Amino acid sequence: MGLPPPPPPFPIPVDRFVEECDGDDPAQAAQCCAAFATLATQVPVPRDFRGATRTLMELVERTGDGFGRVTKESATAAMAALLATVPGADKNLVNRGVVDKLVAASIADEEDETPRGPAAADQEGGGSPETKRGGVNGMGSLTLNSLECIRILAASEHGVPELMRNDGAMAFATKRCDDGDPRIAEGACDFLCALASRGEAQRTRVRERGGVTALAKGLARHGKGNTHVGFRALLGLAMTCAQDGEAQAELVNVPGVVQALLATQRSDDAAMAGIARDLWGSIGNNPELKKVVMEALRADVERAKAAESA
């Protein structure tokens, strides 16, 4: 048998990609980034695309003259694709301060309540007239894309050291584990899981920066209605709490989480049910928590009664 045919060449040369994204046309830049993000899932990306990191970072920061939410969303989608496919992109982006800049851009976007009307969509390269967090052309929201970028960095050689010292990134993620948008909550929980999976030092980092409470809130809010969030929250809690009594005490004191753990043990999802049973077993083996668990259950019952009578 002969050798398999070589993969097709990447349709967009890096110099053309940089030229189009560096230009003054926001629609062209957004479309070019969106095309790259899609193509990167289908065709191997050449290593020389590491040279596009500067361009993508500048698009995340660029404002005015039509450059705004849509171009930032597309640029961060392209950035996530670059991080996932091109070795060395993590080093280039970390050296350019990518984590702080992604967090700052996402927070500013969340605080901007300006709706994305038809005129704004036309000005920024098309898309539907959605409000913030609605996503653009399948690219997802800026916050969602930023969480995906830092999740990939949490599994990379140069990203882990940055995230071990960047408190802003940890706060950004932990505050969103119980976000009302389950996609955002899933992305935040997924990041904490990725970091915790790296080793004990990283699990300690997650615990010390509020990760246990954040993951527990995610499970309490979304565990019943969204298995994607529930599974990641449970996985993160299993990694951070199974062998740590203090973390278990923090976990069971989060309103609603004890009921969520009990309910998840009866889940139709075998993996979720198994993780919940193992975690509950670890908590049950901690004699100091029995009273706390009973009080948490009583508090949940009282909250439920109050909600029904309201």
Side-chain angles (χ1 to χ4, degrees), residues 34-57:
F36 174 84
T38 300
L39 289 167
T41 67
Q42 303 167 355
V43 183
V45 181
R47 293 174 67 94
D48 60 2
F49 262 86
R50 283 179 297 182
T53 54
R54 173 197 60 79
T55 294
L56 291 174
M57 282 303 319

Side-chain angles (χ1 to χ4, degrees), residues 9-46:
F10 199 74
I12 309 173
V14 65
D15 54 351
R16 181 180 146 206
F17 177 83
V18 169
E19 180 182 356
E20 292 192 5
C21 291
D22 281 348
D24 294 327
D25 186 342
Q28 178 176 274
Q31 290 165 5
C32 190
C33 287
F36 174 84
T38 300
L39 289 167
T41 67
Q42 303 167 355
V43 183
V45 181

Side-chain angles (χ1 to χ4, degrees), residues 16-299:
R16 181 180 146 206
F17 177 83
V18 169
E19 180 182 356
E20 292 192 5
C21 291
D22 281 348
D24 294 327
D25 186 342
Q28 178 176 274
Q31 290 165 5
C32 190
C33 287
F36 174 84
T38 300
L39 289 167
T41 67
Q42 303 167 355
V43 183
V45 181
R47 293 174 67 94
D48 60 2
F49 262 86
R50 283 179 297 182
T53 54
R54 173 197 60 79
T55 294
L56 291 174
M57 282 303 319
E58 289 178 355
L59 276 179
V60 170
E61 296 181 282
R62 191 170 181 179
T63 57
D65 298 322
F67 287 86
R69 180 178 283 149
V70 173
T71 49
K72 292 177 191 294
E73 286 180 346
S74 293
T76 51
M79 189 181 293
L82 189 73
L83 282 166
T85 58
V86 178
D90 63 326
K91 180 179 180 180
N92 286 13
L93 285 166
V94 167
N95 287 343
R96 292 183 178 276
V98 65
V99 175
D100 285 333
K101 291 174 182 177
L102 285 173
V103 169
S106 297
I107 292 173
D109 181 65
E110 290 177 349
E111 293 173 350
D112 179 8
E113 298 288 346
T114 305
R116 184 184 290 121
D122 290 342
Q123 186 180 23
E124 289 193 66
S128 60
E130 300 173 5
T131 57
K132 66 174 186 172
R133 293 191 178 181
V136 52
N137 298 334
M139 290 294 100
S141 76
L142 181 54
T143 293
L144 188 63
N145 291 341
S146 295
L147 286 167
E148 176 64 4
C149 287
I150 63 173
R151 181 199 67 79
I152 298 170
L153 286 170
S156 76
E157 177 186 359
H158 297 281
V160 171
E162 169 64 20
L163 293 167
M164 288 294 285
R165 59 177 172 261
N166 194 311
D167 292 344
M170 298 299 293
F172 176 68
T174 54
K175 289 177 181 177
R176 288 159 180 79
C177 287
D178 63 336
D179 193 274
D181 183 339
R183 300 175 308 151
I184 301 295
E186 179 184 350
C189 292
D190 210 10
F191 159 65
L192 294 180
C193 285
L195 188 61
S197 70
R198 298 289 291 184
E200 186 54 39
Q202 286 73 35
R203 286 189 283 277
T204 299
R205 169 75 167 161
V206 171
R207 285 191 288 263
E208 290 179 346
R209 303 312 304 177
V212 171
T213 293
L215 290 163
K217 287 181 176 180
L219 179 62
R221 180 163 191 175
H222 293 291
K224 183 182 293 186
N226 190 294
T227 56
H228 297 292
V229 182
F231 177 78
R232 285 159 178 79
L234 273 172
L235 190 60
L237 289 169
M239 286 190 282
T240 53
C241 298
Q243 306 299 324
D244 191 298
E246 289 186 9
Q248 291 172 5
E250 180 181 347
L251 163 64
V252 298
N253 275 294
V254 173
V257 76
V258 171
Q259 289 278 21
L261 274 173
L262 291 172
T264 307
Q265 293 178 60
R266 301 187 295 273
S267 171
D268 293 335
D269 187 305
M272 285 184 64
I275 296 172
R277 282 193 292 268
D278 289 344
L279 183 55
W280 188 253
S282 298
I283 293 170
N285 289 330
N286 187 336
E288 297 178 4
L289 293 184
K290 289 184 178 179
K291 183 179 179 180
V292 178
V293 169
M294 293 305 299
E295 290 175 351
L297 284 170
R298 281 195 291 269

